[in-house]
Amino acid sequence: MKFQEDSHYIERVINGDIPAYASLVEKHKNLVFSIAMKILNNREDAEEIAQDTFLKAFNSLKSFEKKSKFSTWLYRIAYNGAISRKRKKKMDVVEIDDQVMFNYSADEITTNVHQMNESEQIQLIDKALLQLPEDDNLLITLFYKSEHSIEDISYITGLTQTNVKVKLHRIRKKLYEEIQELTKRN
Amino acid sequence: MENDDLINDDFLRNLVRKSSIESPSDGFVEKVMERIQPQPEVAPVKRSFFDFLKSFSGYLLLAGVLVVFFLTSDIPVLSWLPGKQYFLDKVLPSFDFLHSWLLSSSGSGKGFSIPVMILAATGLFFLLDRLITYRTTVRNHTSG
């Protein structure tokens, strides 16, 4: 399904064409759900948060100031909702250990991964991402998969840009280590 | 320098892009839209007292029963009700022209006056029902 720019649907919704909002939901549902899922690691909770996110966004659509992209604004709502749910459930927030020493060989990993076929590579990266703490998984996905800028990620998560950069560097190294571990096991 | 490593890491970028993305359950969009467009609340509609009499024959039957009751209410406990004699002496003569027309157009007075009573009572019930139904409808429209 090919979608138009978010602003097109937003204008229509603001002008009273409420069913046009369904296109925005369809367009962003996977990433919104993914954000909630990565933080909560529970499908039911993630789906509820994703629904609430779209509902909140709809109710605040008129006050959306377009200072950021609609998608970034939406993901921020999803992120805050998921974090809030996580705190309510008193789930453990895993912090990155600053003292961890990373030990991997990027060349070796690259060679091994390039020898794999497409489906093996997908399996490998899915497994490696699952090994990361939920928040790290989210950050790296937002950066590399959704191609959000550091500024956008900072807005979504409420972290400072410097903090986002530092975290991404560490997560990247951690991910390399996980990939190396998995390729060795295979 | 480190920032460049991060941004220029095409190997990791391409690999992460291949990762599966979670999808919500089927019907997710519909569920969201249902919550956005809540179904209008159904206002409780007062049913007319006479709703059970939907057909004309229902009115006819009820009216018939009541007319029979009135015409045969000469029993002592119902002495305050106008009885058969009252109808014969007072009510029917007041519709003299109709009465005489009915009498003249038929061989038997009773054969016509009783059906006329039934029809009049039926009409009365019908109008009463329309009136009550109309008031209920108006109230429902204005309460929204």
Side-chain angles (χ1 to χ4, degrees):
Chain A
M1 187 172 180
K2 194 165 183 179
F3 293 105
Q4 299 194 43
E5 288 291 312
D6 289 344
S7 55
H8 166 79
Y9 301 113
I10 293 167
E11 282 300 314
R12 280 175 58 188
V13 174
I14 288 173
N15 290 327
D17 181 8
I18 291 168
Y21 193 68
S23 302
L24 283 173
V25 179
E26 187 68 51
K27 189 176 175 184
H28 296 289
K29 66 177 183 181
N30 287 347
L31 199 53
V32 165
F33 177 74
S34 230
I35 288 170
M37 187 67 191
K38 282 182 193 303
I39 293 169
L40 296 165
N41 206 18
N42 175 302
R43 277 196 73 87
E44 282 179 17
D45 284 347
E47 188 141 338
E48 203 181 314
I49 293 295
Q51 282 189 27
D52 289 348
T53 298
F54 284 109
L55 205 66
K56 279 180 193 167
F58 176 82
N59 291 331
S60 312
L61 205 56
K62 281 182 183 169
S63 59
F64 170 56
E65 290 173 350
K66 296 173 188 168
K67 282 179 185 169
S68 60
K69 284 189 286 183
F70 172 76
S71 58
T72 316
W73 178 65
L74 194 65
Y75 302 153
R76 183 188 165 97
I77 298 173
Y79 179 84
N80 287 337
I83 289 289
S84 172
R85 171 67 59 94
K86 192 174 180 173
R87 282 185 188 139
K88 269 185 198 166
K89 287 199 157 189
K90 294 180 179 160
M91 293 160 82
D92 293 335
V93 179
V94 183
E95 294 293 339
I96 297 164
D97 184 354
D98 287 352
Q99 304 305 314
V100 170
M101 295 295 289
F102 298 103
N103 180 26
Y104 62 88
S105 158
D107 289 343
E108 190 186 327
I109 293 168
T110 313
T111 312
N112 287 340
V113 170
H114 282 146
Q115 284 170 354
M116 293 175 164
N117 63 33
E118 184 82 3
S119 67
E120 285 172 335
Q121 286 183 8
I122 294 169
Q123 273 191 344
L124 175 77
I125 189 63
D126 282 347
K127 276 185 188 171
L129 286 170
L130 278 175
Q131 301 299 315
L132 297 176
E134 292 93 346
D135 297 4
D136 296 354
N137 185 342
L138 174 65
L139 287 189
I140 207 89
T141 306
L142 284 174
F143 187 69
Y144 283 132
K145 191 169 173 75
S146 323
E147 297 189 313
H148 280 89
S149 65
I150 290 183
E151 192 185 350
D152 281 351
I153 297 172
S154 162
Y155 176 78
I156 293 168
T157 59
L159 299 168
T160 63
Q161 289 190 33
T162 313
N163 206 350
V164 171
K165 275 182 215 167
V166 170
K167 276 178 179 278
L168 280 172
H169 277 293
R170 286 178 185 151
I171 299 163
R172 175 172 158 262
K173 288 174 183 175
K174 175 87 179 148
L175 190 57
Y176 267 112
E177 248 191 10
E178 293 296 347
I179 293 168
Q180 180 165 268
E181 275 295 308
L182 288 167
T183 50
K184 272 183 188 171
R185 267 186 243 165
N186 290 336
Chain B
M1 182 65 188
E2 274 217 318
N3 198 27
D4 290 343
D5 287 349
L6 190 70
I7 292 164
N8 299 327
D9 194 339
D10 289 336
F11 167 75
L12 205 57
R13 185 184 303 277
N14 290 332
L15 200 58
V16 174
R17 269 188 201 162
K18 288 176 186 171
S19 66
S20 315
I21 192 156
E22 303 273 1
S23 302
S25 62
D26 291 341
F28 177 83
V29 179
E30 289 74 18
K31 282 178 202 163
V32 172
M33 294 310 287
E34 269 175 31
R35 289 181 66 185
I36 285 169
Q37 298 170 300
Q39 298 299 311
E41 279 183 36
V42 180
V45 177
K46 279 188 183 174
R47 291 190 65 194
S48 163
F49 177 72
F50 297 99
D51 267 5
F52 71 99
L53 293 175
K54 281 290 180 194
S55 64
F56 181 75
S57 55
Y59 283 105
L60 203 64
L61 186 68
L62 181 67
V65 169
L66 286 172
V67 167
V68 168
F69 173 77
F70 274 110
L71 291 175
T72 57
S73 64
D74 282 340
I75 50 174
V77 73
L78 295 172
S79 58
W80 56 275
L81 286 169
K84 182 173 72 179
Q85 209 54 47
Y86 177 83
F87 276 93
L88 291 175
D89 295 345
K90 304 277 182 185
V91 179
L92 288 180
S94 61
F95 296 99
D96 202 27
F97 75 97
L98 184 66
H99 191 225
S100 49
W101 175 75
L102 288 169
L103 286 174
S104 65
S105 58
S106 72
S108 158
K110 275 188 181 176
F112 259 79
S113 53
I114 290 175
V116 165
M117 288 291 293
I118 292 171
L119 282 173
T122 305
L124 186 70
F125 276 119
F126 185 77
L127 288 173
L128 201 58
D129 182 35
R130 290 300 94 193
L131 183 70
I132 290 168
T133 311
Y134 170 75
R135 281 192 175 170
T136 313
T137 314
V138 169
R139 202 175 299 136
N140 286 338
H141 278 289
T142 51
S143 64

